[in-house]
Amino acid sequence: QADYGILNHVIFFFAVLFNSPVTIIIPLMYIYWKSNYSVHSLAHFGALQLLGLFFTLTLKKFLARPRPVLHESAKKSRSLRKKETNHSMPSGDSLQAGIFASFCFLNYGEFYWFFMMLLVMYGRVHFVCHYLMDTIVGASIAIVLAFSVNDIVMNIVNDVLNTLQ
């Protein structure tokens, strides 16, 4: 395992960016700001995330791939891996990062978030939370999912929110 010194802290940030309810606030705040404080955009993104979460949890249960073996020498990984109790394939963090990147590309034309997705994927492998293929599959599912249902989800969310008003 590589130890990059201070750079490990930067990699750690990306490794946990989509890992907990607290850190998911950063992408949600960005979307809220980018959409001129639109609740519709937040609900649209949230619906895509929930759809992705459904796919992730279903596939994890079905595939039941164990996480990579954490060796005693991997001190940098201990704190992150303690939180990981489910299976490895596909990477839910990579999937959520892929949904965020795809959402920003499809709705704002911002392609550079795909680089952030790659950093999340690298961080998940670097901190021994996933195998490389777990992150590739997770991100791929996200991209295919977002590109195939983005408009459908947006229309459903808009219809529901307009009905509630």
Side-chain angles (χ1 to χ4, degrees):
Q1 291 178 351
D3 184 0
Y4 302 122
I6 193 93
L7 190 56
N8 271 337
H9 297 291
V10 174
I11 297 168
F12 184 81
F13 171 78
F14 287 103
V16 299
L17 184 57
F18 290 88
N19 193 262
S20 76
V22 175
T23 53
I24 196 64
I25 291 171
I26 296 168
L28 287 172
M29 286 174 42
Y30 178 78
I31 287 170
Y32 190 59
W33 169 77
K34 187 68 180 177
S35 66
N36 294 318
Y37 312 105
S38 166
V39 173
H40 288 240
S41 292
L42 280 180
H44 177 193
F45 178 64
L48 284 173
Q49 281 188 309
L50 289 174
L51 197 55
L53 183 63
F54 170 77
F55 275 98
T56 302
L57 295 176
T58 301
L59 284 171
K60 281 180 183 281
K61 189 168 186 109
F62 177 73
L63 298 173
R65 181 178 184 172
R67 293 202 178 259
V69 174
L70 184 60
H71 297 287
E72 191 62 32
S73 62
K75 291 184 172 115
K76 68 179 180 221
S77 302
R78 285 198 188 129
S79 61
L80 188 55
R81 276 294 295 277
K82 286 180 184 175
K83 299 175 185 177
E84 306 294 343
T85 58
N86 58 5
H87 296 293
S88 186
M89 171 73 92
S91 167
D93 298 76
S94 300
L95 185 133
Q96 295 298 324
I99 286 177
F100 176 74
S102 298
F103 182 89
C104 290
F105 177 76
L106 292 168
N107 295 286
Y108 311 128
E110 300 172 346
F111 68 90
Y112 46 84
W113 292 109
F114 287 105
F115 295 112
M116 181 247 358
M117 178 191 73
L118 292 172
L119 290 171
V120 169
M121 293 167 65
Y122 178 77
R124 303 303 291 168
V125 173
H126 178 77
F127 285 100
V128 199
C129 294
H130 291 284
Y131 296 102
L132 178 61
M133 190 53 70
D134 302 341
T135 63
I136 291 171
V137 169
S140 298
I141 291 170
I143 292 167
V144 169
L145 180 67
F147 273 77
S148 62
V149 301
N150 184 62
D151 290 338
I152 296 167
V153 170
M154 180 176 56
N155 290 334
I156 292 170
V157 165
N158 286 337
D159 289 345
V160 168
L161 290 177
N162 289 334
T163 302
L164 294 175
Q165 290 179 346

